[in-house]
Amino acid sequence: RVIVLEDDMEIAPDFFDYFAHFAPQLEADHSLYCISAWNDHGQGALVDDETAFRRTSYFPGLGWMMVRRVWDELRGTWPQAYWDDWVRADEQRRGRDCIYPEVARSYTFGEEGTSAGQFYGKYLKPMKLNQRAVDFSSLDTSYLAKDAWDRHMLEQVASATEVHDVLEIRPHKSYVVRYRSKEEYDAICRTLGMMDDWKSGSPRCSYHGVVQVRHARSVVYLAPEDSRPGAAGQQASTWENTAFVVMAYNRPSYLRRTLDNILQYAPEGLMLFVSQDGSDSKVHHVAKEYAPRVRHLQNYPRAKLTGLSRIQMGYTYISLHYKFMFEMLLDELKFERVIVLEDDMEIAPDFFDYFAHFAPQLEADHSLYCISAWNDHGQGALVDDETAFRRTSYFPGLGWMMVRRVWDELRGTWPQAYWDDWVRADEQRRGRDCIYPEVARSYTFGEEGTSAGQFYGKYLKPMKLNQRAVDFSSLDTSYLAKDAWDRHMLEQVASATEVHDVLEIRPHKSYVVRYRSKEEYDAICRTLGMMDDWKSGSPRCSYHGVVQVRHARSVVYLAPEDSRPGAAGQQASTWENTAFVVMAYNRPSYLRRTLDNILQYAPEGLMLFVSQDGSDSKVHHVAKEYAPRVRHLQNYPRAKLTGLSRIQMGYTYISLHYKFMFEMLLD
């Protein structure tokens, strides 16, 4: 990753703490495009709270972080000129957001440059640069997760007092001022002293058209007449482009029981399928009975397999059937996501509400692999709270949702057999997690099948299926965002009482039991009545080795001796693999002022660069003065440009310089 600053900027004392705090979220949450230190509406009269941060569907720039995955997308079509306007365009942003602070962590003192001081005296000079270092470790910023922010913005705008004139605003309240056109927006901005220009069809620092500022000690939202923050990235209907499929082979009575159960709860608009493997006529007949509400897919004729045992053949046919089903629903029929259930399962009354709630998070948060309705440790004695949900670095399956982007990764190397163990492997999971419930939303009644009833009597039959429909609209599940969950798990395990024997556990507390080996883990599981087998080197439903259950009305964590939940997916050092670069051209005194400011706050371990465009000897000399702490890159000789105006040439050289810099640091 790289943090980019211009050579006419200064930074706040907590600039690097700000980026260190949000960098993991930028890496994990693929609904994010960048982290910016800048607020275009950051003039002193319009801001107040240095601990407030926001999402914007606009690219602010001016002190910002890009990660490699975004550069990998942009590299091939990087523009010849006006790179920043191009980066803001919908074709590049693709519905993603940036995080920015209410009180800016960067400040420009540049009255001269290619932009010829545009806006400087009126808008840029009055910007407020934060001067109070914030303790980010004490902040909970999980509200910035995509779904949490959408809910937050909807609620805040809906509850604000609507006024038609800014002059009606009184202190210590929240207001919304509606605009129906660019002209009306401009008029409001003139009254408030804000920049009124739009970029790529959006106001600066807006979130789907909504801009938040302070005025007269109140919060003010400038909102389009038809604004519904967050709605732009969501489906018109919860179930649009979602398929639900039951996988069937040769158990017609099981299939009937499953379909009867599902149809009690299936919402209107959700497309239901049975995918039948083979030609069993009774299964075919049952599937057709439920038409037209349930549609029938059939994988027949099946591939002819030779040289395999009966068990191997069974698992091979299952894997090929899953591939057939995903190809039909995601490739042929073009659904965006699919919920998969076996033909020996029943679902909870709120099964579909559960998936409707978490589907947007699965789409937006690319640190997620799937949503599962199943808990391998969901036996009645081990669970209690039907409103509790968790992340796991394990793939639970058994009633789960896959989205197209994951299938696009897996399709080309889908295995011949044992698909579920393959899906769990690190090579496919790539550090991503699944969300699952404490109290399961799916239940298996299947004592017969390819797995020959493995575990059924001891572990599966006692599973608790939730029977109380939860109102998900009343729940705040933003704690399941990657960085929030990592903090939560670290805090919970660290604060739990450590015991060496499960028999020491007393009611209404939190405990941690450590294990140093698979054998020690097995012994704890036998005492608690839990499944003890591991898959792909991890306990079932664990989060980086930590398993959470209930016992004796207490919360119990089974944790490896050296456990640091979440650490596996984070850098060994905050600044490992991060570069910080100042972009310079022909302003040596500006560059010196910027570097002197940066070096007051730059952390050890962060690699600092000046990227110089052209051959200005004074800029070169200043950059070299700060060696070895600051390294020098030079884009020289520059490309020869002809047929362009002076302004066009300036913006072209800037764009080519940015491309050079990203290629040097990221490639």
Side-chain angles (χ1 to χ4, degrees):
R1 64 200 74 81
V2 59
I3 302 171
V4 186
L5 200 74
E6 305 289 336
D7 64 350
D8 58 357
M9 301 195 77
E10 292 180 337
I11 63 172
D14 61 355
F15 175 94
F16 291 106
D17 296 332
Y18 169 76
F19 281 102
H21 179 79
F22 285 113
Q25 188 168 350
L26 179 60
E27 289 283 2
D29 181 353
H30 288 221
S31 73
L32 287 176
Y33 196 35
C34 83
I35 308 296
S36 174
W38 178 259
N39 178 0
D40 274 311
H41 305 304
Q43 295 84 5
L46 300 175
V47 299
D48 177 66
D49 186 356
E50 65 274 4
T51 68
F53 309 96
R54 303 172 187 151
R55 288 180 80 113
T56 173
S57 43
Y58 167 90
F59 170 76
L62 296 181
W64 59 287
M65 176 180 278
M66 175 191 274
V67 291
R68 178 188 297 280
R69 64 173 162 78
V70 175
W71 172 244
D72 287 343
E73 295 174 19
L74 303 181
R75 178 197 300 109
T77 53
W78 191 261
Q80 281 288 103
Y82 304 100
W83 72 270
D84 48 348
D85 288 337
W86 179 84
V87 163
R88 289 184 179 106
D90 291 341
E91 293 78 10
Q92 283 66 250
R93 192 174 59 81
R94 299 182 188 176
R96 293 171 292 192
D97 305 323
C98 298
I99 287 175
Y100 74 102
E102 176 169 321
V103 181
R105 266 58 180 187
S106 58
Y107 177 83
T108 180
F109 54 82
E111 293 189 65
E112 61 185 65
T114 302
S115 296
Q118 185 184 26
F119 298 129
Y120 187 79
K122 188 172 183 180
Y123 297 116
L124 302 185
K125 191 173 183 179
M127 289 286 176
K128 179 178 180 180
L129 179 66
N130 183 52
Q131 295 300 330
R132 186 176 75 83
V134 168
D135 176 11
F136 283 90
S137 67
S138 68
L139 298 184
D140 178 6
T141 53
S142 59
Y143 65 89
L144 288 164
K146 177 72 172 173
D147 56 339
W149 186 253
D150 285 343
R151 287 196 304 274
H152 168 79
M153 286 294 282
L154 280 167
E155 292 163 3
Q156 293 302 306
V157 173
S159 64
T161 301
E162 188 159 332
V163 293
H164 300 287
D165 191 321
V166 173
L167 298 176
E168 300 175 51
I169 291 172
R170 298 293 176 263
H172 311 302
K173 290 187 69 176
S174 291
Y175 293 90
V176 59
V177 187
R178 301 281 180 183
Y179 63 90
R180 289 169 294 183
S181 64
K182 175 71 167 66
E183 291 70 28
E184 289 189 2
Y185 180 82
D186 292 353
I188 299 166
C189 288
R190 285 194 294 274
T191 305
L192 291 172
M194 296 166 53
M195 297 191 213
D196 60 11
D197 60 324
W198 291 21
K199 300 283 186 177
S200 297
S202 295
R204 292 174 181 258
C205 286
S206 63
Y207 188 68
H208 301 298
V210 179
V211 174
Q212 180 179 346
V213 295
R214 308 268 178 172
H215 177 69
R217 299 193 300 282
S218 284
V219 175
V220 182
Y221 299 96
L222 283 60
E225 189 66 40
D226 59 351
S227 62
R228 288 179 53 80
Q234 299 174 7
Q235 291 105 24
S237 162
T238 302
W239 298 113
E240 185 182 347
N241 294 323
T242 301
F244 176 92
V245 63
V246 178
M247 306 296 284
Y249 170 47
N250 67 349
R251 303 183 291 188
S253 62
Y254 276 22
L255 178 59
R256 187 185 302 280
R257 177 173 169 181
T258 295
L259 290 175
D260 285 343
N261 169 256
I262 289 163
L263 290 172
Q264 294 180 61
Y265 310 117
E268 290 297 320
L270 175 64
M271 297 281 277
L272 307 179
F273 294 84
V274 167
S275 183
Q276 179 184 355
D277 193 31
S279 59
D280 188 287
S281 60
K282 292 180 180 178
V283 168
H284 188 278
H285 179 73
V286 170
K288 290 296 187 183
E289 274 183 45
Y290 291 83
R293 183 65 184 97
V294 179
R295 305 184 184 200
H296 183 231
L297 306 174
Q298 190 167 11
N299 183 32
Y300 183 78
R302 301 205 291 176
K304 292 182 179 179
L305 304 177
T306 58
L308 300 177
S309 69
R310 179 177 169 277
I311 292 294
Q312 289 173 325
M313 194 170 290
Y315 282 112
T316 300
Y317 276 129
I318 289 172
S319 193
L320 294 174
H321 183 199
Y322 268 79
K323 185 179 184 185
F324 161 81
M325 176 273 295
F326 285 129
E327 287 176 340
M328 287 298 296
L329 296 178
L330 297 177
D331 295 340
E332 296 294 324
L333 297 177
K334 305 298 184 186
F335 287 100
E336 292 297 321
R337 63 201 72 80
V338 58
I339 302 170
V340 186
L341 201 73
E342 307 289 335
D343 65 350
D344 58 357
M345 302 196 76
E346 292 180 338
I347 64 172
D350 61 354
F351 175 95
F352 291 106
D353 295 332
Y354 169 75
F355 281 103
H357 179 79
F358 284 113
Q361 188 167 350
L362 178 60
E363 289 283 1
D365 182 354
H366 288 220
S367 73
L368 287 176
Y369 196 35
C370 82
I371 308 297
S372 174
W374 179 259
N375 178 0
D376 275 309
H377 306 303
Q379 296 85 2
L382 300 176
V383 299
D384 177 66
D385 185 357
E386 65 275 3
T387 67
F389 308 96
R390 303 172 188 150
R391 289 180 79 112
T392 174
S393 42
Y394 168 89
F395 170 75
L398 295 181
W400 59 287
M401 176 181 277
M402 175 190 273
V403 291
R404 176 188 295 280
R405 65 175 161 78
V406 175
W407 172 243
D408 287 344
E409 296 174 18
L410 304 181
R411 178 198 300 108
T413 53
W414 191 260
Q416 281 289 103
Y418 304 100
W419 72 270
D420 49 348
D421 288 337
W422 179 84
V423 163
R424 289 185 181 106
D426 292 342
E427 293 78 10
Q428 284 65 250
R429 192 176 59 79
R430 300 182 187 176
R432 293 171 292 193
D433 305 322
C434 297
I435 287 175
Y436 74 104
E438 176 170 322
V439 182
R441 268 55 180 189
S442 58
Y443 177 85
T444 178
F445 53 81
E447 294 189 65
E448 60 185 65
T450 304
S451 296
Q454 185 185 26
F455 299 127
Y456 186 79
K458 188 172 183 181
Y459 297 116
L460 303 184
K461 190 173 182 179
M463 289 287 177
K464 180 178 179 180
L465 179 66
N466 183 51
Q467 295 300 330
R468 187 176 75 83
V470 168
D471 176 11
F472 283 90
S473 67
S474 68
L475 297 184
D476 178 5
T477 53
S478 58
Y479 65 89
L480 288 163
K482 176 73 172 172
D483 56 338
W485 186 254
D486 285 343
R487 287 196 304 273
H488 168 79
M489 286 294 283
L490 281 168
E491 292 163 2
Q492 293 303 304
V493 173
S495 63
T497 301
E498 189 160 332
V499 294
H500 301 288
D501 192 319
V502 173
L503 298 176
E504 300 174 51
I505 292 172
R506 298 293 177 265
H508 310 303
K509 289 186 70 177
S510 291
Y511 293 89
V512 59
V513 187
R514 301 281 180 182
Y515 62 90
R516 290 169 293 183
S517 65
K518 175 73 166 65
E519 292 70 27
E520 288 189 2
Y521 180 82
D522 292 352
I524 299 166
C525 288
R526 285 194 294 273
T527 305
L528 292 172
M530 294 166 53
M531 297 190 213
D532 60 10
D533 60 322
W534 291 21
K535 300 284 187 177
S536 298
S538 295
R540 291 174 180 260
C541 286
S542 63
Y543 189 69
H544 302 297
V546 179
V547 175
Q548 180 179 346
V549 295
R550 306 270 178 171
H551 177 69
R553 300 193 299 282
S554 284
V555 176
V556 181
Y557 299 96
L558 282 60
E561 188 66 39
D562 59 351
S563 62
R564 287 178 53 81
Q570 298 176 6
Q571 294 99 24
S573 162
T574 302
W575 297 114
E576 184 182 349
N577 293 323
T578 300
F580 175 92
V581 62
V582 177
M583 306 296 286
Y585 170 46
N586 65 350
R587 301 182 293 187
S589 62
Y590 276 22
L591 177 60
R592 186 186 302 280
R593 178 173 168 180
T594 294
L595 290 175
D596 285 342
N597 168 255
I598 289 163
L599 289 172
Q600 295 180 60
Y601 310 116
E604 290 298 319
L606 176 63
M607 298 279 279
L608 307 179
F609 295 84
V610 166
S611 183
Q612 179 183 354
D613 193 34
S615 59
D616 187 288
S617 60
K618 292 181 181 178
V619 168
H620 187 277
H621 179 73
V622 170
K624 290 296 187 182
E625 272 183 46
Y626 291 83
R629 183 66 184 97
V630 179
R631 305 186 185 201
H632 182 232
L633 307 174
Q634 190 166 10
N635 183 31
Y636 183 76
R638 301 203 292 177
K640 293 182 178 179
L641 303 177
T642 59
L644 300 177
S645 70
R646 179 177 169 275
I647 291 294
Q648 289 173 324
M649 193 170 291
Y651 282 112
T652 300
Y653 277 128
I654 289 172
S655 195
L656 294 174
H657 183 200
Y658 267 79
K659 185 179 184 186
F660 161 81
M661 176 273 295
F662 285 129
E663 287 175 339
M664 289 296 294
L665 296 179
L666 296 177
D667 297 338

